[in-house]
Amino acid sequence: AAGDAALAGEIDALIFMDAEARDAPALLPTHDDREAYASAIARPGEAPAKVDHSESGGQSITEARAFFDARIADLLQRTHPAPAPGAGPAEIRANTEDRLAKVRALVRATRSRTQLVRFGLAQGEELHRVFEQHASREAALKSIWNFDMPGMQIAGCDLIRNLVLSCVDEAHQVSLHESLWVEMEKHATGGSGTAFDLEAFFMAFLHAVGHSVTSRPELYAGFRDWLSRSVLAGVHADDAAARTEAVRGALELMLAESKKWEERVHAGNR
């Protein structure tokens, strides 16, 4: 029991700002993934009974947790098989200690070999521009070296979402994302949620509002042009209320168009 508590404390020190309180994760994922992330890092008995992915994100986090649970269980079974039925207390205790030592070594290896990249923002710097610059460097490196970059790539639709929502304050970012963007994304992709399907809709949408682009790599620039020339034209940068209403109107238009797109393109997939 003492070994379990010590190991749990060591893991909590990685995950939470305060390992004893366990109420503030050191890393906080995007809004859609937070419920699944809270479930994934909870101790047994603390996790929500069920995480519903039908209307929110988080499925990849849940799948990742299940993947690592299975791999660790398989590793322990191969290196330190569970004692046979009828094993004595001493054998069971020794097996438990061996398994704890293995998991402790795994935790420490993870700590020593995991690297995080932190992007610090200067006063007044906009977060979406950090992602924009990162995506530009990623594309440049890929074109020079002609190979796929490791890890999850930043999709054009992710940049567009960040760009659109960056026009309003944080509270409205959450509310507009939940009430309009998520719904629009669901209709635009016919429920698939894939970047490919969403970008196909964005191509059609820009054409419908008179800001056509000829290829997917041009989508971000096309949306930036539409926002500045149409959505926010005449809206003062310091007028937060006016900017919020302008963005809300833009998202309502995107939602309406996404429903028409779903009827035309995805009706047969229902």
PDB file of all heavy atoms in Angstrom, residues 163-180:
ATOM      1  N   LEU A 163      -8.289  31.405 -35.769  1.00  0.00           N
ATOM      2  CA  LEU A 163      -8.353  32.763 -36.301  1.00  0.00           C
ATOM      3  C   LEU A 163      -9.707  33.403 -36.024  1.00  0.00           C
ATOM      4  O   LEU A 163      -9.790  34.535 -35.517  1.00  0.00           O
ATOM      5  CB  LEU A 163      -8.084  32.734 -37.809  1.00  0.00           C
ATOM      6  CG  LEU A 163      -8.293  34.050 -38.563  1.00  0.00           C
ATOM      7  CD1 LEU A 163      -7.251  35.073 -38.129  1.00  0.00           C
ATOM      8  CD2 LEU A 163      -8.213  33.818 -40.074  1.00  0.00           C
ATOM      9  N   VAL A 164     -10.779  32.688 -36.349  1.00  0.00           N
ATOM     10  CA  VAL A 164     -12.129  33.241 -36.184  1.00  0.00           C
ATOM     11  C   VAL A 164     -12.411  33.540 -34.713  1.00  0.00           C
ATOM     12  O   VAL A 164     -12.877  34.630 -34.356  1.00  0.00           O
ATOM     13  CB  VAL A 164     -13.189  32.282 -36.753  1.00  0.00           C
ATOM     14  CG1 VAL A 164     -14.600  32.782 -36.444  1.00  0.00           C
ATOM     15  CG2 VAL A 164     -13.015  32.122 -38.267  1.00  0.00           C
ATOM     16  N   LEU A 165     -12.118  32.594 -33.844  1.00  0.00           N
ATOM     17  CA  LEU A 165     -12.451  32.764 -32.431  1.00  0.00           C
ATOM     18  C   LEU A 165     -11.513  33.725 -31.720  1.00  0.00           C
ATOM     19  O   LEU A 165     -11.856  34.252 -30.657  1.00  0.00           O
ATOM     20  CB  LEU A 165     -12.451  31.404 -31.728  1.00  0.00           C
ATOM     21  CG  LEU A 165     -13.537  30.433 -32.208  1.00  0.00           C
ATOM     22  CD1 LEU A 165     -13.406  29.087 -31.513  1.00  0.00           C
ATOM     23  CD2 LEU A 165     -14.933  31.011 -31.969  1.00  0.00           C
ATOM     24  N   SER A 166     -10.344  33.975 -32.290  1.00  0.00           N
ATOM     25  CA  SER A 166      -9.417  34.921 -31.665  1.00  0.00           C
ATOM     26  C   SER A 166      -9.927  36.352 -31.747  1.00  0.00           C
ATOM     27  O   SER A 166      -9.399  37.243 -31.065  1.00  0.00           O
ATOM     28  CB  SER A 166      -8.038  34.830 -32.325  1.00  0.00           C
ATOM     29  OG  SER A 166      -8.063  35.376 -33.645  1.00  0.00           O
ATOM     30  N   CYS A 167     -10.961  36.569 -32.545  1.00  0.00           N
ATOM     31  CA  CYS A 167     -11.502  37.920 -32.711  1.00  0.00           C
ATOM     32  C   CYS A 167     -12.366  38.349 -31.523  1.00  0.00           C
ATOM     33  O   CYS A 167     -12.780  39.511 -31.443  1.00  0.00           O
ATOM     34  CB  CYS A 167     -12.331  38.002 -33.995  1.00  0.00           C
ATOM     35  SG  CYS A 167     -11.383  37.705 -35.500  1.00  0.00           S
ATOM     36  N   VAL A 168     -12.664  37.418 -30.609  1.00  0.00           N
ATOM     37  CA  VAL A 168     -13.503  37.747 -29.452  1.00  0.00           C
ATOM     38  C   VAL A 168     -12.759  37.373 -28.175  1.00  0.00           C
ATOM     39  O   VAL A 168     -11.735  36.690 -28.220  1.00  0.00           O
ATOM     40  CB  VAL A 168     -14.862  37.003 -29.517  1.00  0.00           C
ATOM     41  CG1 VAL A 168     -15.624  37.412 -30.771  1.00  0.00           C
ATOM     42  CG2 VAL A 168     -14.660  35.483 -29.502  1.00  0.00           C
ATOM     43  N   ASP A 169     -13.299  37.819 -27.028  1.00  0.00           N
ATOM     44  CA  ASP A 169     -12.633  37.515 -25.761  1.00  0.00           C
ATOM     45  C   ASP A 169     -12.829  36.048 -25.395  1.00  0.00           C
ATOM     46  O   ASP A 169     -13.618  35.334 -26.008  1.00  0.00           O
ATOM     47  CB  ASP A 169     -13.127  38.419 -24.643  1.00  0.00           C
ATOM     48  CG  ASP A 169     -14.630  38.301 -24.398  1.00  0.00           C
ATOM     49  OD1 ASP A 169     -15.147  37.163 -24.363  1.00  0.00           O
ATOM     50  OD2 ASP A 169     -15.297  39.341 -24.267  1.00  0.00           O
ATOM     51  N   GLU A 170     -12.092  35.597 -24.361  1.00  0.00           N
ATOM     52  CA  GLU A 170     -12.053  34.174 -24.041  1.00  0.00           C
ATOM     53  C   GLU A 170     -13.422  33.617 -23.679  1.00  0.00           C
ATOM     54  O   GLU A 170     -13.781  32.511 -24.074  1.00  0.00           O
ATOM     55  CB  GLU A 170     -11.068  33.921 -22.899  1.00  0.00           C
ATOM     56  CG  GLU A 170     -10.865  32.443 -22.597  1.00  0.00           C
ATOM     57  CD  GLU A 170      -9.770  32.194 -21.580  1.00  0.00           C
ATOM     58  OE1 GLU A 170      -9.063  33.146 -21.215  1.00  0.00           O
ATOM     59  OE2 GLU A 170      -9.631  31.034 -21.150  1.00  0.00           O
ATOM     60  N   ALA A 171     -14.201  34.361 -22.916  1.00  0.00           N
ATOM     61  CA  ALA A 171     -15.527  33.870 -22.517  1.00  0.00           C
ATOM     62  C   ALA A 171     -16.404  33.630 -23.733  1.00  0.00           C
ATOM     63  O   ALA A 171     -17.111  32.614 -23.826  1.00  0.00           O
ATOM     64  CB  ALA A 171     -16.188  34.866 -21.571  1.00  0.00           C
ATOM     65  N   HIS A 172     -16.360  34.556 -24.691  1.00  0.00           N
ATOM     66  CA  HIS A 172     -17.166  34.389 -25.903  1.00  0.00           C
ATOM     67  C   HIS A 172     -16.578  33.327 -26.828  1.00  0.00           C
ATOM     68  O   HIS A 172     -17.306  32.701 -27.599  1.00  0.00           O
ATOM     69  CB  HIS A 172     -17.306  35.725 -26.637  1.00  0.00           C
ATOM     70  CG  HIS A 172     -18.262  36.671 -25.986  1.00  0.00           C
ATOM     71  ND1 HIS A 172     -17.846  37.731 -25.210  1.00  0.00           N
ATOM     72  CD2 HIS A 172     -19.622  36.701 -25.966  1.00  0.00           C
ATOM     73  CE1 HIS A 172     -18.899  38.388 -24.758  1.00  0.00           C
ATOM     74  NE2 HIS A 172     -19.993  37.790 -25.194  1.00  0.00           N
ATOM     75  N   GLN A 173     -15.265  33.129 -26.762  1.00  0.00           N
ATOM     76  CA  GLN A 173     -14.667  32.044 -27.548  1.00  0.00           C
ATOM     77  C   GLN A 173     -15.297  30.712 -27.176  1.00  0.00           C
ATOM     78  O   GLN A 173     -15.676  29.919 -28.042  1.00  0.00           O
ATOM     79  CB  GLN A 173     -13.149  31.986 -27.305  1.00  0.00           C
ATOM     80  CG  GLN A 173     -12.365  33.108 -27.954  1.00  0.00           C
ATOM     81  CD  GLN A 173     -10.896  33.060 -27.580  1.00  0.00           C
ATOM     82  OE1 GLN A 173     -10.425  32.090 -26.980  1.00  0.00           O
ATOM     83  NE2 GLN A 173     -10.169  34.106 -27.915  1.00  0.00           N
ATOM     84  N   VAL A 174     -15.433  30.466 -25.882  1.00  0.00           N
ATOM     85  CA  VAL A 174     -16.010  29.205 -25.399  1.00  0.00           C
ATOM     86  C   VAL A 174     -17.479  29.098 -25.797  1.00  0.00           C
ATOM     87  O   VAL A 174     -17.926  28.085 -26.327  1.00  0.00           O
ATOM     88  CB  VAL A 174     -15.852  29.073 -23.873  1.00  0.00           C
ATOM     89  CG1 VAL A 174     -16.587  27.838 -23.363  1.00  0.00           C
ATOM     90  CG2 VAL A 174     -14.376  28.999 -23.495  1.00  0.00           C
ATOM     91  N   SER A 175     -18.249  30.154 -25.545  1.00  0.00           N
ATOM     92  CA  SER A 175     -19.684  30.086 -25.827  1.00  0.00           C
ATOM     93  C   SER A 175     -19.976  29.973 -27.320  1.00  0.00           C
ATOM     94  O   SER A 175     -20.842  29.195 -27.734  1.00  0.00           O
ATOM     95  CB  SER A 175     -20.394  31.310 -25.237  1.00  0.00           C
ATOM     96  OG  SER A 175     -19.942  32.505 -25.861  1.00  0.00           O
ATOM     97  N   LEU A 176     -19.255  30.732 -28.149  1.00  0.00           N
ATOM     98  CA  LEU A 176     -19.482  30.663 -29.594  1.00  0.00           C
ATOM     99  C   LEU A 176     -19.008  29.332 -30.168  1.00  0.00           C
ATOM    100  O   LEU A 176     -19.622  28.789 -31.090  1.00  0.00           O
ATOM    101  CB  LEU A 176     -18.773  31.826 -30.297  1.00  0.00           C
ATOM    102  CG  LEU A 176     -19.342  33.218 -30.028  1.00  0.00           C
ATOM    103  CD1 LEU A 176     -18.508  34.288 -30.725  1.00  0.00           C
ATOM    104  CD2 LEU A 176     -20.789  33.311 -30.496  1.00  0.00           C
ATOM    105  N   HIS A 177     -17.927  28.811 -29.615  1.00  0.00           N
ATOM    106  CA  HIS A 177     -17.441  27.516 -30.063  1.00  0.00           C
ATOM    107  C   HIS A 177     -18.469  26.432 -29.765  1.00  0.00           C
ATOM    108  O   HIS A 177     -18.789  25.596 -30.619  1.00  0.00           O
ATOM    109  CB  HIS A 177     -16.114  27.187 -29.391  1.00  0.00           C
ATOM    110  CG  HIS A 177     -15.522  25.871 -29.823  1.00  0.00           C
ATOM    111  ND1 HIS A 177     -15.723  24.705 -29.115  1.00  0.00           N
ATOM    112  CD2 HIS A 177     -14.759  25.545 -30.892  1.00  0.00           C
ATOM    113  CE1 HIS A 177     -15.101  23.719 -29.719  1.00  0.00           C
ATOM    114  NE2 HIS A 177     -14.505  24.196 -30.800  1.00  0.00           N
ATOM    115  N   GLU A 178     -19.011  26.443 -28.547  1.00  0.00           N
ATOM    116  CA  GLU A 178     -19.968  25.414 -28.151  1.00  0.00           C
ATOM    117  C   GLU A 178     -21.302  25.549 -28.881  1.00  0.00           C
ATOM    118  O   GLU A 178     -21.884  24.549 -29.311  1.00  0.00           O
ATOM    119  CB  GLU A 178     -20.208  25.482 -26.640  1.00  0.00           C
ATOM    120  CG  GLU A 178     -19.029  25.024 -25.800  1.00  0.00           C
ATOM    121  CD  GLU A 178     -19.341  25.059 -24.327  1.00  0.00           C
ATOM    122  OE1 GLU A 178     -20.313  25.740 -23.934  1.00  0.00           O
ATOM    123  OE2 GLU A 178     -18.623  24.406 -23.549  1.00  0.00           O
ATOM    124  N   SER A 179     -21.782  26.775 -29.022  1.00  0.00           N
ATOM    125  CA  SER A 179     -23.128  26.967 -29.564  1.00  0.00           C
ATOM    126  C   SER A 179     -23.180  26.985 -31.083  1.00  0.00           C
ATOM    127  O   SER A 179     -24.206  26.626 -31.673  1.00  0.00           O
ATOM    128  CB  SER A 179     -23.724  28.273 -29.024  1.00  0.00           C
ATOM    129  OG  SER A 179     -22.955  29.391 -29.449  1.00  0.00           O
ATOM    130  N   LEU A 180     -22.080  27.380 -31.745  1.00  0.00           N
ATOM    131  CA  LEU A 180     -22.128  27.544 -33.197  1.00  0.00           C
ATOM    132  C   LEU A 180     -21.059  26.738 -33.941  1.00  0.00           C
ATOM    133  O   LEU A 180     -21.366  26.026 -34.887  1.00  0.00           O
ATOM    134  CB  LEU A 180     -21.996  29.035 -33.558  1.00  0.00           C
ATOM    135  CG  LEU A 180     -23.169  29.917 -33.110  1.00  0.00           C
ATOM    136  CD1 LEU A 180     -22.848  31.393 -33.307  1.00  0.00           C
ATOM    137  CD2 LEU A 180     -24.437  29.540 -33.861  1.00  0.00           C
TER     138      LEU A 180
END
